[in-house]
């Protein structure tokens, strides 16, 4: 900005000081208005809300992991009650572990990387891409374990839970592939990235929410089956654990998405402005 003020500094500068003070900018004047250097110090925004959301997300994720491990390790007969095969039981237990801990929790942590990981933007993108790759591999392996049971592949395509799961993993895979190409393709036009970024963020959060909803349908389907067949009661410990797991997932989803869309805390920046008293008053 080269043209802004003409020559009336003696009367106009106090107004300028008042104006910038109102919007939170602090100036340090050197000695004179003839050639004054002003340092604009933009104060950092309060980072406490972001820290609180990150802490709540970690607590929710830990609660989900503890409840799921408790359910999988102490109530194993509920996963496959009508079989004596140890192999089928292992595959049945691995499915929720991989889909919840490996897929939902790790992908949620990948979303939060941009909020807590220090360093350059390139480093954050690399860690984000790597964590999402681990989550995708867990999801694919989790679906594969479901197809290894005695019921076969076709039997797992009749429920809403299975359809939503396949849609979710397919969208997640396409999203990860797009992110991979965007990260490593150095020749891509910058404006193209700018236009694609909002859709990348939207699809990422939508897929994450869809994954949580799919897990909720799986919990509901499993618990309904167990209660309908009289294998567990509505007021037993296992039912309480499964219901608590569902609430934990819902809380985690809300906190992760809120943290992702909340404004980022700005770091203190320093900009130098030079004011002249002849024909051009302010340069940047």
């Amino acid at each position: 900005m080269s043209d802004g003020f003409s020559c009336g500094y003696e009367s106009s500068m106090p107004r300028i000081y008042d104006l910038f003070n109102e919007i939170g900018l602090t100036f340090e004047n050197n000695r004179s208005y003839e050639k004054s250097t002003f340092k604009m110090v933009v104060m950092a925004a309060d980072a406490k809300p972001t820290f609180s959301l990150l802490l709540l997300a970690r607590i929710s994720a830990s609660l989900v992991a503890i409840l799921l491990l408790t359910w999988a390790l102490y109530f194993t007969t509920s996963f496959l009650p009508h079989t004596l095969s140890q192999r089928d039981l292992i595959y049945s237990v691995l499915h929720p572990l991989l889909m919840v801990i490996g897929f939902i929790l790790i992908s949620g942590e990948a979303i939060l990387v941009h909020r807590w990981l220090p360093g350059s933007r390139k480093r954050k993108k690399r860690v984000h891409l790597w964590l999402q790759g681990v989550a995708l591999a867990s999801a694919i392996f989790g679906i594969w374990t479901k197809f290894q049971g005695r019921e076969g592949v076709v039997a797992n395509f009749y429920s809403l839970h299975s359809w939503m799961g396949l849609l979710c993993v397919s969208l997640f895979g396409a999203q990860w592939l797009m992110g991979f190409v965007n990260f490593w393709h150095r020749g891509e036009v910058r404006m193209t990235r700018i236009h694609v970024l909002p859709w990348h963020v939207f699809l990422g959060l939508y897929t994450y929410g869809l994954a949580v909803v799919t897990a909720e349908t799986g919990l509901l389907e499993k618990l309904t089956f167990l209660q309908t067949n009289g294998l567990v009661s509505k007021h037993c410990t296992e039912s309480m654990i499964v219901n608590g797991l569902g609430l934990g997932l819902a809380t985690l989803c809300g906190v992760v998405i809120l943290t992702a869309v909340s404004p980022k805390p700005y770091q203190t920046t320093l900009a130098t402005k030079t004011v002249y008293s002849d024909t051009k008053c302010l340069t940047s």
Side-chain angles (χ1 to χ4, degrees), residues 56-58 60-61 64 99-112 128 132 135 164 167-169 171-173 175 200-216 248-260:
L56 183 56
R58 301 287 165 68
S60 301
V64 167
M99 301 307 292
V100 175
I101 297 179
F103 184 37
I104 294 178
L105 297 191
I106 293 181
S107 63
E109 190 63 31
I111 293 174
L112 299 178
H128 173 80
Q132 295 288 44
M164 292 179 64
L167 174 63
C168 179
V169 175
L171 285 175
F172 191 88
Q175 176 82 344
H200 181 73
V201 174
F202 165 73
L203 288 176
L205 295 179
Y206 173 78
T207 306
Y208 180 75
L210 182 62
V212 173
V213 173
T214 303
E216 300 282 14
L249 284 170
T251 303
L252 176 63
C253 179
V255 174
V256 169
I257 293 178
L258 178 60
T259 306

Side-chain angles (χ1 to χ4, degrees), residues 51-127:
F51 175 79
S52 301
L53 290 174
L54 287 172
L55 180 62
L56 183 56
R58 301 287 165 68
I59 294 175
S60 301
S62 299
L63 179 62
V64 167
I66 292 173
L67 289 175
L68 181 61
L69 288 172
T70 302
W71 186 33
L73 296 178
Y74 290 95
F75 301 94
T76 55
T77 55
S78 297
F79 285 90
L80 213 59
H82 301 297
T83 183
L84 298 177
S85 173
Q86 188 70 17
R87 176 177 174 272
D88 291 344
L89 181 60
I90 291 175
Y91 282 136
S92 183
V93 172
L94 279 177
H95 177 73
L97 291 177
L98 289 169
M99 301 307 292
V100 175
I101 297 179
F103 184 37
I104 294 178
L105 297 191
I106 293 181
S107 63
E109 190 63 31
I111 293 174
L112 299 178
V113 158
H114 295 282
R115 295 295 176 158
W116 63 265
L117 184 66
S120 64
R121 180 178 178 86
K122 181 179 179 181
R123 179 189 180 189
K124 294 178 181 180
K125 290 173 65 176
R126 183 183 292 111
V127 175

Side-chain angles (χ1 to χ4, degrees), residues 79-80 88 90-96 98-99 139-157 159 161-162 166 218 221-222:
F79 285 90
L80 213 59
D88 291 344
I90 291 175
Y91 282 136
S92 183
V93 172
L94 279 177
H95 177 73
L98 289 169
M99 301 307 292
I140 295 174
F141 188 44
I143 293 178
W144 177 82
T145 58
K146 195 63 177 178
F147 293 159
Q148 301 305 306
R150 61 178 181 176
E151 296 177 350
V153 176
V154 180
N156 292 283
F157 282 96
S159 66
H161 173 69
S162 61
L166 291 174
E221 179 183 302
K222 188 65 176 180

Side-chain angles (χ1 to χ4, degrees), residues 19-53:
L19 176 62
F20 281 105
N21 285 332
E22 287 180 4
I23 61 175
L25 297 179
T26 304
F27 287 88
E28 297 177 0
N29 189 4
N30 279 347
R31 290 186 178 180
S32 65
Y33 295 142
E34 296 299 325
K35 184 177 180 181
S36 301
T37 302
F38 299 97
K39 297 178 181 180
M40 294 192 304
V41 182
V42 182
M43 303 306 294
D46 190 4
K48 290 183 178 179
T50 302
F51 175 79
S52 301
L53 290 174

